[in-house]
Amino acid sequence: MTHPRATLRLQLHQGFTFDDALAQLDYFAALGVSHLYLSPLTTAQPGSMHGYDTVDYGTVSAELGGEGALRRLAAKVHERGMGIVADFVPNHMGVGGAHNAWWLDILEWGRHSAYARHFDVDWHSPDPALRGKVLMPFLGAQYGEELAAGRIELKFDPVAARFYVQYGPHVCPICPTDYAVLLQSANRADLNTLAGPFQGLTTQPDDQARAAAGRDALRAFVESAGTDPIDFALESYSTADPVARDRLHRLLERQHFRLAWWRTATDEINWRRFFDVTTLAGVRVERHDVFEAVHKLLFRLYADGVIDGVRIDHVDGLADPREYCERLRQRLAALRAMPPFIVVEKILAHGETLRDDWPVQGTTGYDFMNDVGALLHDPAGAAPLAEAWAAISGDDRPFQDYALDARREMLAAYLPAELDHVTRALHRIARELPATRDTTYASVHRVVAHLAIYFPIYRIYPVNGLRSALDNRYFDVALEAARRALPRASLAALGLVDAWLGGSAPEAAASAGNSGGGVKAPRTAQAGAGSAQASTQSNPPLSHALIAQRTALALFSQLTAPLAAKATEDTALYRYGRLLSRNEVGADPDDFARTPHDFHVANRLRQRRPFGLLATATHDHKRGEDVRARLAVLSEIAGDWSATLRAWSTLNQTHRRNEGAAGTLWSPGPTVEAMLYQTLVGCWPPDLDPGDEAGVHALAERVAQWLLKALREAKLRTNWLSPDEQYESECQAFLFDILAPQRRDGFLQALAGFVARVAPAGAVNSLLQTVLRLTSPGIPDLYQGTELWDFSLVDPDNRRPVDYASRAAALDDRAPAAKLEEWRNAQVKLATVRRLLAVRERAPELLREGEYLPLMANGAQAAHVIAFARRHGNAWAIVIGTHLAAGLLDGDTPLVATERWEDTAVELPKGLAEASLHDWLSEITHTVGNGNALALRDILKAMPVAVLCTLTRG
């Protein structure tokens, strides 16, 4: 199987299994994709709707149909010459509950568990209550309250012959070192005999084998005598009796876990989480044995030809992403003859590119989603929309300031334990050196917090404990900002931390404390990893220092990445509302618009990795691709939109809650109200009549779900940790009031009328976005169902079931241009996708990796055109699209009237004179004249976009 030419992302769960995917295979093949891109296949927590909470890396999810169903799907896929790309989650596992055997084993045996080093657990916590223990912050209330209420119960599993404590769905095994006491508590001779093998037991590996033998005897006893004797012993630990409850408490205090209220996680968690999600524990995949255990099934499926490529989830969570990618590629390459296909989920900041030394095909496409999204926006709208937002919010700061505020809050309120882990790793380095032993924990903590807050990208990627020149380009931004913000007394500590975080090799860092307050430690990273390694080998004592420095760097990077994500994507993007179409994963709202020239530059860079994915929708997007495309139109009519916002706010003023109440903020508040109106404009279906009560109510239910999430993610007047349910209810009541049937001649009519006005230009944007994704360098990725209009909102709305039957029924051979008149049913988009996937099938190299040539437009409307050529050998494709169309459209069809183009023409590359070019979207063939230019009044008379090829459909 070759590398993909186009992928289709499918979200698998118990409601859409391998067999369900197989049932749609005819449609997927007819659409023209080459590979199914499947969400995680491994066994996840029961009922998981996403699969990212893996509990067993060794088995294919039974809820998805199991390995047999996966192999059936793969066999049929391969029969059609197609392939499978599997999403894989190496960074974290689902914990809590009762299904992760690795996690349960460390709860049972502590640091001597065979899996103790599989997870990033700090077994040496400075808190005596957590030393040698795993914090289990899953209780709904204070530990003492839950214990007294009888919700923490001691139980016995007769099949596993195991004692355990249960709290709701959560299971914590009791260490077998306590089995003797438990069995003897019944004061029965038979149980006393069974207690024998557990007497004097330790947690050492040899004693774990002895415990297994004791369990075998216990299991045999229960099989013959039943569980009544064991139940009698459990009565001694019943929470109904104060004495027994105290006995249970003392038993729990001896275990290798510490049950705790869920609120303690923020401050006291002593293991690495995925972001701030306490049900997902970080996995130490950088360890060779863990890497092999985590990937065993993946490697087997790849070796057997079941899967053909891998998508790596959240690569920035790993200790060393580059090293991981190298190891993964080496292992996969040894299993199959063809080069492995690997893409990584990576968020790139503005101006950042994927590191050249990562041996992967590319990213999953957030970078392209940002580039094409910014292209759809009119830069002239940035300032007036910012002024309108400042008037609404009372805050004229740029988005960057919102993000900095959010970073401070996230670090203080959501990630303080993670900040503590980095600080302690650095403080340990300080204590090892006489020159720096008096550097205090508090000073290091202060410095690390400032560096993390001002860090401009997700993370850096040092090699052997040293930052590269490229790393320093970003690290120095944070360093200088911290230097300006910190008190002068902290500058000496800043210099030390700079050195210990890879600014100097360990031997140089050791003397950095003598360099004077705030003076930069010498940059030695440019010497390269080889010199650091050589020093380590020639001076054995340095090995410990190097390990300490690498550990601190990994922890720092595993702090900055989740901090950036939580502060930006999950907080600031829900607070700042200049124009929500730029509030997207991987985007920067301050980077408001891109010119065609900017887009061409990005596409030429993209040619360096022609097998990277091109996405415009994902399972993690904030708004569907067509919501963003429609909202982008508001940048072209900024003044009108600002006036519309004011009018709607006045119209709906009577539906606000608590307005005018003394000392009370009204609900929903001006910023939430403004963002709600944008959301309604963006997601209103093109064919929804305001008089359709059922349709409007269904939309309101979806938007209400978005609204609740948006309010809590913003973390201003409510949040996930301590929700203000009254405020949330008032906001949702406002939404349902303004969309109530009695408003059909008021706000509903105004809303629908405004949508009707901007929707044609939004459809032009959508079709342009679709064409650019399918013709730019790389591999286009389709997200399930988005071949029709995608007016979805953030998850779970963007993961709703897809009506594949209607999509399959809409497939035919008619050209997209023939369907433009009825554009509201979205079949023009579906036809465009299918036609351009057919081009990619006919000439795979042409659009994937062919030469990319920006084309110039001349004439009256040159500013409203984007065009480029692709060439591979003798094959050509000319891509021309309408750009910023709002001011050019006259009717309700997304097409610029021919006369409006006047003399506008696109200049073609030399060598195409007299060439015959067939437009795959309109079925019109054009002959290039001697002037070597194409007049847009001819090229764009049937569709707002054109893809003209030297290839005919044939």
Side-chain angles (χ1 to χ4, degrees):
M1 171 57 57
T2 59
H3 285 344
R5 67 171 184 273
T7 58
L8 173 65
R9 168 76 181 204
L10 298 178
Q11 289 296 116
L12 301 172
H13 47 78
Q14 58 188 353
F16 190 83
T17 66
F18 298 128
D19 286 339
D20 293 317
L22 179 58
Q24 304 302 330
L25 190 56
D26 286 345
Y27 168 69
F28 300 149
L31 188 61
V33 297
S34 69
H35 284 62
L36 301 185
Y37 162 23
L38 305 180
S39 63
L41 312 176
T42 48
T43 299
Q45 293 279 22
S48 175
M49 296 298 289
H50 47 75
Y52 289 102
D53 45 0
T54 300
V55 294
D56 184 357
Y57 280 115
T59 59
V60 175
S61 170
E63 288 189 351
L64 304 184
E67 188 168 335
L70 171 60
R71 288 179 177 270
R72 286 196 302 273
L73 172 63
K76 293 298 184 181
V77 163
H78 292 134
E79 281 180 13
R80 293 178 175 272
M82 299 166 66
I84 291 176
V85 174
D87 197 347
F88 191 71
V89 191
N91 176 63
H92 52 265
M93 294 186 79
V95 296
H99 299 89
N100 189 327
W102 292 1
W103 185 255
L104 295 177
D105 199 75
I106 70 167
L107 299 184
E108 186 173 31
W109 293 106
R111 70 182 77 182
H112 292 133
S113 163
Y115 306 102
R117 301 181 74 181
H118 281 48
F119 299 95
D120 261 329
V121 179
D122 182 1
W123 297 105
H124 306 283
S125 172
D127 182 352
L130 282 173
R131 203 160 294 151
K133 295 178 181 286
V134 176
L135 185 71
M136 287 289 286
F138 294 103
L139 302 183
Q142 294 273 4
Y143 165 77
E145 181 182 333
E146 297 294 70
L147 186 67
R151 287 189 278 270
I152 301 173
E153 300 177 279
L154 181 64
K155 295 187 175 183
F156 179 74
D157 178 357
V159 176
R162 170 176 290 156
F163 289 97
Y164 64 95
V165 166
Q166 183 162 17
Y167 175 81
H170 304 290
V171 165
C172 298
I174 298 297
C175 183
T177 57
D178 277 304
Y179 278 26
V181 173
L182 289 170
L183 292 168
Q184 289 168 344
S185 65
N187 198 24
R188 288 174 54 115
D190 48 5
L191 295 186
N192 288 342
T193 300
L194 290 170
F198 300 104
Q199 292 284 4
L201 204 64
T202 71
T203 57
Q204 295 295 329
D206 288 347
D207 277 1
Q208 291 185 36
R210 185 154 66 94
R215 276 202 177 112
D216 289 341
L218 184 56
R219 184 182 300 105
F221 171 81
V222 171
E223 287 175 354
S224 61
T227 60
D228 286 349
I230 304 294
D231 292 340
F232 187 72
L234 294 178
E235 284 297 315
S236 300
Y237 295 85
S238 169
T239 55
D241 176 71
V243 174
R245 184 165 63 243
D246 183 66
R247 188 178 294 119
L248 175 59
H249 166 65
R250 284 185 278 114
L251 172 68
L252 292 175
E253 291 293 278
R254 296 194 297 271
Q255 301 311 305
H256 301 292
F257 55 83
R258 181 173 181 262
L259 288 171
W261 188 18
W262 64 270
R263 289 184 181 275
T264 65
T266 295
D267 297 317
E268 296 187 344
I269 196 85
N270 65 336
W271 41 273
R272 182 170 63 88
R273 302 175 287 178
F274 170 73
F275 293 1
D276 61 344
V277 183
T278 308
T279 55
L280 298 174
V283 178
R284 298 187 65 189
V285 76
E286 66 272 15
R287 289 178 52 86
H288 178 76
D289 57 334
V290 180
F291 179 90
E292 291 298 325
V294 164
H295 294 82
K296 184 177 180 180
L297 172 66
L298 181 79
F299 291 155
R300 178 165 59 81
L301 294 175
Y302 186 78
D304 290 351
V306 177
I307 61 174
D308 305 285
V310 184
R311 180 260 198 195
I312 299 302
D313 177 65
H314 189 52
V315 72
D316 274 339
L318 304 177
D320 189 336
R322 177 194 57 80
E323 186 177 76
Y324 170 84
C325 292
E326 285 181 346
R327 183 181 296 178
L328 180 64
R329 177 163 291 277
Q330 289 169 1
R331 290 289 282 109
L332 292 175
L335 298 173
R336 299 258 291 269
M338 62 171 289
F341 177 78
I342 305 170
V343 290
V344 293
E345 185 204 31
K346 172 77 182 90
I347 303 298
L348 296 167
H350 184 41
E352 183 187 12
T353 58
L354 188 64
R355 298 296 175 101
D356 290 336
D357 58 352
W358 287 20
V360 299
Q361 268 63 39
T363 73
T364 54
Y366 288 114
D367 48 336
F368 179 81
M369 187 160 73
N370 178 47
D371 291 340
V372 74
L375 175 71
L376 302 182
H377 288 73
D378 187 347
L385 288 174
E387 291 173 8
W389 175 251
I392 291 168
S393 64
D395 190 343
D396 63 356
R397 298 178 302 159
F399 174 76
Q400 181 60 33
D401 288 350
Y402 282 74
L404 284 175
D405 284 349
R407 281 172 175 259
R408 294 184 186 98
E409 293 173 31
M410 292 306 100
L411 205 56
Y414 291 80
L415 299 170
E418 286 75 9
L419 174 59
D420 175 66
H421 297 164
V422 183
T423 303
R424 283 195 285 112
L426 290 164
H427 192 235
R428 280 194 289 268
I429 296 175
R431 287 293 173 89
E432 290 286 331
L433 305 169
T436 59
R437 58 171 287 182
D438 290 338
T439 303
T440 65
Y441 171 90
S443 66
V444 175
H445 187 276
R446 194 159 42 245
V447 164
V448 174
H450 277 76
L451 287 173
I453 286 169
Y454 292 109
F455 217 72
I457 58 175
Y458 264 51
R459 59 171 289 173
I460 53 174
Y461 308 95
V463 177
N464 281 330
L466 288 172
R467 302 196 302 264
S468 67
L470 184 54
D471 290 327
N472 283 330
R473 171 183 164 189
Y474 300 112
F475 192 93
D476 286 350
V477 172
L479 191 66
E480 293 305 317
R483 181 174 286 113
R484 290 191 299 270
L486 283 165
R488 184 170 180 79
S490 295
L491 297 185
L494 178 63
L496 289 169
V497 170
D498 172 27
W500 295 331
L501 287 177
S504 301
E507 70 274 17
S511 60
N514 299 322
S515 62
V519 178
K520 284 188 183 181
R523 300 282 194 219
T524 60
Q526 287 80 356
S531 61
Q533 187 63 37
S535 298
T536 302
Q537 293 170 347
S538 62
N539 185 6
L542 185 60
S543 177
H544 173 74
L546 181 57
I547 290 171
Q549 187 157 305
R550 290 187 65 171
T551 299
L553 269 165
L555 288 170
F556 181 72
S557 294
Q558 289 170 329
L559 168 67
T560 60
L563 177 60
K566 290 299 297 180
T568 303
E569 297 169 22
D570 295 343
T571 305
L573 290 182
Y574 288 96
R575 295 180 176 181
Y576 180 77
R578 171 169 62 175
L579 191 56
L580 296 184
S581 44
R582 291 301 292 139
N583 291 23
E584 191 51 80
V585 179
D588 177 0
D590 285 339
D591 176 27
F592 185 76
R594 302 274 182 89
T595 65
H597 172 75
D598 297 330
F599 184 78
H600 295 320
V601 170
N603 263 358
R604 282 185 150 172
L605 287 174
R606 203 163 275 117
Q607 282 189 292
R608 294 162 53 187
R609 293 185 186 267
F611 288 92
L613 297 188
L614 308 172
T616 49
T618 75
H619 59 288
D620 280 334
H621 66 232
K622 304 295 185 188
R623 289 161 193 85
E625 59 185 39
D626 299 311
V627 175
R628 298 193 307 273
R630 183 188 289 170
L631 287 178
V633 176
L634 304 185
S635 69
E636 301 181 65
I637 56 169
D640 287 353
W641 171 242
S642 299
T644 299
L645 271 180
R646 291 192 296 271
W648 288 354
S649 184
T650 301
L651 181 63
N652 291 324
Q653 185 173 357
T654 58
H655 305 300
R656 298 171 182 168
R657 266 54 177 179
N658 298 319
E659 187 169 29
T664 302
L665 294 171
W666 61 271
S667 304
T671 58
V672 174
E673 183 180 5
M675 288 191 276
L676 175 60
Y677 292 144
Q678 287 189 55
T679 301
L680 289 170
V681 168
C683 72
W684 185 274
D687 56 353
L688 179 59
D689 187 291
D692 178 358
E693 292 186 19
V696 173
H697 183 75
L699 177 66
E701 291 284 356
R702 289 177 49 219
V703 176
Q705 191 175 41
W706 163 83
L707 180 59
L708 178 62
K709 183 167 185 173
L711 294 172
R712 291 186 176 180
E713 295 283 29
K715 306 172 186 69
L716 293 173
R717 293 175 62 179
T718 185
N719 57 60
W720 296 105
L721 296 182
S722 52
D724 183 339
E725 295 181 356
Q726 179 178 345
Y727 170 65
E728 294 169 354
S729 177
E730 290 170 351
C731 290
Q732 292 186 320
F734 175 84
L735 166 65
F736 282 104
D737 275 355
I738 66 174
L739 297 183
Q742 55 267 39
R743 245 62 74 190
R744 72 182 64 186
D745 296 323
F747 174 67
L748 276 174
Q749 191 65 47
L751 172 62
F754 185 86
V755 170
R757 175 185 168 191
V758 298
V764 172
N765 282 345
S766 292
L767 292 172
L768 176 61
Q769 179 174 248
T770 299
V771 166
L772 294 178
R773 171 165 49 100
L774 291 162
T775 58
S776 291
I779 298 173
D781 173 47
L782 284 71
Y783 181 65
Q784 58 178 30
T786 59
E787 56 271 29
L788 294 183
W789 297 137
D790 174 24
F791 292 108
S792 65
L793 300 171
V794 72
D795 69 279
D797 192 62
N798 62 9
R799 304 179 190 183
R800 288 174 293 152
V802 177
D803 181 359
Y804 286 111
S806 66
R807 286 160 173 78
L811 282 181
D812 58 38
D813 288 330
R814 288 195 301 155
K819 302 185 176 189
L820 185 64
E821 189 66 29
E822 298 180 347
W823 60 272
R824 289 177 179 81
N825 65 19
Q827 291 190 25
V828 61
K829 183 182 179 185
L830 175 64
T832 299
V833 170
R834 190 184 189 198
R835 282 292 176 97
L836 295 185
L837 289 179
V839 175
R840 283 188 169 259
E841 184 176 12
R842 279 280 303 278
E845 299 88 356
L846 174 61
L847 296 178
R848 184 182 61 219
E849 58 202 270
E851 185 180 1
Y852 186 93
L853 303 169
L855 300 180
M856 292 290 296
N858 297 307
Q861 306 298 344
H864 296 281
V865 181
I866 180 170
F868 56 87
R870 305 297 309 280
R871 179 177 64 185
H872 188 271
N874 294 323
W876 286 83
I878 308 297
V879 179
I880 301 174
T882 307
H883 183 225
L884 304 179
L888 296 179
L889 300 180
D890 296 321
D892 62 355
T893 299
L895 186 66
V896 177
T898 358
E899 62 273 12
R900 294 295 299 272
W901 287 115
E902 301 182 47
D903 62 342
T904 310
V906 170
E907 297 179 14
L908 296 183
K910 293 179 181 179
L912 280 177
E914 306 301 328
S916 180
L917 298 175
H918 182 75
D919 185 359
W920 282 59
L921 303 185
S922 68
E923 294 286 30
I924 299 173
T925 299
H926 302 268
T927 301
V928 182
N930 291 329
N932 224 41
L934 295 174
L936 293 196
R937 62 177 179 269
D938 298 325
I939 302 303
L940 298 183
K941 66 181 179 182
M943 280 282 284
V945 283
V947 179
L948 305 115
C949 301
T950 52
L951 309 167
T952 58
R953 290 191 61 228

